[in-house]
Amino acid sequence: MYIKDRHFSLSDKTWNINEAKVAIQEIATDAIQHLKSGYLWPSHPLDDDASSHSFYYGTSGVSWALDYLCREDVADIEFNLKFALKNQLEKCQAELVNMPHTENASYLFGDIPILMMQFQLSKDQKLLDELASKITVNNSQPTRELMWGSAGTMIALTHLQRWLPNDIRWEQAYQVQSTKLMNELQENNEFGFMWKIDVYGKQQYFLGPMHGNSGNVLSLIKGRHLLKNSDYKEFCEKVMISTVRTAVTDHKYANWPPIAGKTDRMLLQYCHGAPGMLTALSELPADINSEFDEVLLKGGELIWDAGPLRKGFGLCHGTAGNGFAFLKLFQRTNNQIWLDRARAFAMKAIEQHRQAKILFQQGRYALWNGDVGLAIFLNECIKETANFPTIDNF
C-alpha cells in the first residue's frame, strides 16, 4: 500500500513549542542572511530549476512566505517585499515562454501571485485589471488541474473575491471557470465521477492535488460560498463516491495511487497519495457518506504508521506536507490525537531540516519544497490551525 523504504520511524522527541518558535526564526533569519543581489537565493542541489521565480519553488514563493511569517508575528526580520517583487515579476514573466502549457494562466508557476502581492502593497487598480486579463484566459482553456490550469486560478479568484467582494469581476470569473469545471466532471463505470486530466501531453485520471482530481475538488471547496447550495451538495456526494472507489484499502489503512487504478507505485506524500487527498478533501461535509468519513481516517492511520518521509521535510513531498494531513483531520474531527501526531511530525521535520543544512552546507530556499514551507507548518502546529499556505490563505 506504500513503499516502506521511503519512510523511517519517528524519534522519541516530544513536542516543544519553544523549539518550534526558534526553528521558525532560524529559517527566516537564514533566508535573509543568504539573500543575494536582485532578491535571489542560492540554488539548491535538489531543485531542478534553481533560477525559478515561481510561487512553487522560486523566489516569489519565498518572498510571500517571509512576508507571511512577519504578518503572523513569528519572524523578526527586515525584508523589503516591494523591491523584491519588482525584480521577481520581471524575471518570472521572462520565464513564462519556456514553461509548459504556455496557453494557460498558472497560479503556482505564473506571475499571478506576484501581481496579487503587489496589489496588496500598493492597492493599484491597474494591477487588478492586469490580473483580470490574465486569470480569465483560463475561462476557455482545457487544462483542469491546480498547478497549471483553471483549478489554480480559481484558488486565486477566491482570495481576490474575499479581498474585494464589491468587485464583481472575481465572482463572475469564478462562476465561469467553476461551471465549466463541474460540467466536465464525467461518470466512469469503475471510478465514479472523475475528470480526465490533460497535462504534459497526457490524459490520465490523476488523483492528487497538484495535477489531479482532488486539486480540482479543492478549488470548488474553497469557493463553495459562490456556488448554489444544491449544486455543491450534489457535487460533494459525487466526489465522496469516487474518493472511496479509487482508494486502496484494507481493514486499517487507505491510500490512493497517483493515477486511478494504477497501483504499481503507491506513493505517500502530498502530491501523490493519502496526505494530499486528505488535505485537499478534508473540508467536504462529514456525516453524509460514512464510507468516505472512514476512508479519510484510514488514510491518516497509514500516514502515521508509515512514519516521516526520507525524501525531505517540505510540503509537496516531505514530512511537513504529510503532517498537514493530521492538522486537517484535527480540524475535521476535533480529535486531539491528530494534533499530537502533526506535532510529532513537526519535531522530526525540524531535525530533518537541520541535518539537511549540515549535509548541503546551505538552506533550501523554496516554499513548497523547502525551509519556509516548513516554518509555516510549524506555525500552524503552534496555533492549532490547518491553513495550508497559498491555498487556504494568502
Side-chain angles (χ1 to χ4, degrees):
M1 197 173 291
Y2 72 101
I3 304 170
K4 293 183 179 180
D5 291 346
R6 294 174 64 89
H7 301 261
F8 52 79
S9 300
L10 275 168
S11 60
D12 295 330
K13 199 166 189 178
T14 58
W15 168 248
N16 186 317
I17 189 171
N18 290 325
E19 186 170 347
K21 289 179 178 179
V22 168
I24 293 171
Q25 182 63 51
E26 283 179 357
I27 288 168
T29 300
D30 178 72
I32 295 300
Q33 289 176 343
H34 290 87
L35 183 63
K36 301 191 296 183
S37 62
Y39 285 88
L40 306 174
W41 279 276
S43 61
H44 195 279
L46 297 180
D47 288 331
D48 295 332
D49 185 4
S51 64
S52 171
H53 295 271
S54 71
F55 216 34
Y56 177 73
Y57 61 17
T59 60
S60 63
V62 180
S63 295
W64 177 86
L66 291 175
D67 180 68
Y68 178 75
L69 292 170
C70 289
R71 284 184 277 142
E72 288 283 288
D73 199 28
V74 293
D76 183 13
I77 55 173
E78 291 186 10
F79 180 65
N80 194 323
L81 181 63
K82 179 180 178 180
F83 285 99
L85 295 177
K86 183 179 185 298
N87 178 69
Q88 291 162 10
L89 177 64
E90 294 171 357
K91 299 287 188 181
C92 181
Q93 290 175 335
E95 293 168 358
L96 293 178
V97 294
N98 298 316
M99 291 287 182
H101 302 286
T102 54
E103 70 281 5
N104 288 82
S106 171
Y107 179 50
L108 293 182
F109 277 89
D111 56 357
I112 288 171
I114 302 178
L115 294 170
M116 290 170 65
M117 286 187 278
Q118 287 185 325
F119 172 75
Q120 283 184 309
L121 291 174
S122 69
K123 300 300 185 286
D124 185 346
Q125 297 299 305
K126 292 180 180 178
L127 291 169
L128 296 181
D129 295 338
E130 188 171 357
L131 279 164
S133 176
K134 290 177 179 291
I135 288 174
T136 53
V137 166
N138 281 356
N139 287 1
S140 59
Q141 290 301 324
T143 302
R144 298 173 292 274
E145 52 94 78
L146 194 149
M147 181 172 281
W148 300 105
S150 59
T153 50
M154 287 166 63
I155 295 291
L157 285 165
T158 64
H159 297 312
L160 288 161
Q161 193 274 333
R162 187 180 73 254
W163 301 345
L164 302 160
N166 294 326
D167 189 338
I168 196 65
R169 289 178 293 180
W170 318 117
E171 182 174 349
Q172 288 176 336
Y174 185 89
Q175 294 289 355
V176 171
Q177 293 183 19
S178 63
T179 298
K180 182 176 176 61
L181 191 61
M182 292 179 78
N183 287 342
E184 291 172 342
L185 187 68
Q186 301 294 322
E187 186 171 10
N188 177 285
N189 290 335
E190 183 178 0
F191 305 127
F193 295 89
M194 303 280 289
W195 290 279
K196 183 169 278 189
I197 309 300
D198 183 4
V199 64
Y200 303 139
K202 299 179 181 179
Q203 290 190 347
Q204 302 270 17
Y205 288 117
F206 289 103
L207 295 178
M210 296 308 293
H211 297 303
N213 274 258
S214 61
N216 288 345
V217 175
L218 178 59
S219 71
L220 292 160
I221 291 173
K222 303 314 296 183
R224 58 189 180 273
H225 60 289
L226 302 175
L227 304 174
K228 290 182 180 178
N229 289 337
S230 58
D231 291 344
Y232 183 67
K233 182 177 183 296
E234 180 182 354
F235 168 74
C236 290
E237 291 170 352
K238 290 178 178 179
V239 168
M240 291 176 187
I241 291 170
S242 62
T243 302
V244 172
R245 286 191 187 179
T246 54
V248 177
T249 64
D250 61 18
H251 69 285
K252 186 176 181 180
Y253 300 131
N255 197 10
W256 287 262
I259 299 170
K262 297 187 177 182
T263 59
D264 55 316
R265 184 171 172 78
M266 297 289 289
L267 300 176
L268 191 61
Q269 54 201 41
Y270 178 85
C271 50
H272 298 295
M277 296 291 287
L278 269 60
T279 303
L281 304 180
S282 65
E283 291 182 38
L284 287 171
D287 302 322
I288 291 178
N289 183 322
S290 60
E291 290 181 294
F292 173 80
D293 295 341
E294 182 182 12
V295 82
L296 292 190
L297 296 177
K298 284 184 173 182
E301 292 296 339
L302 179 65
I303 299 166
W304 175 249
D305 284 352
L309 277 162
R310 292 182 182 276
K311 189 171 184 178
F313 54 82
L315 296 176
C316 193
H317 30 260
T319 299
N322 285 22
F324 250 109
F326 298 140
L327 290 179
K328 290 291 186 179
L329 286 175
F330 173 63
Q331 181 185 61
R332 182 178 177 87
T333 66
N334 201 33
N335 187 334
Q336 180 70 26
I337 191 173
W338 299 115
L339 177 61
D340 293 343
R341 289 176 173 183
R343 287 172 163 176
F345 269 44
M347 298 307 292
K348 186 61 183 181
I350 293 171
E351 182 181 315
Q352 288 178 275
H353 158 70
R354 289 173 175 163
Q355 289 173 344
K357 277 197 71 178
I358 294 170
L359 177 64
F360 292 105
Q361 294 295 297
Q362 66 168 85
R364 191 172 185 182
Y365 308 105
L367 174 54
W368 282 74
N369 295 336
D371 305 346
V372 291
L374 167 60
I376 292 173
F377 170 61
L378 296 176
N379 188 44
E380 294 300 303
C381 287
I382 292 169
K383 296 194 303 177
E384 303 184 8
T385 50
N387 295 312
F388 198 94
T390 73
I391 302 297
D392 297 321
N393 52 24
F394 193 97

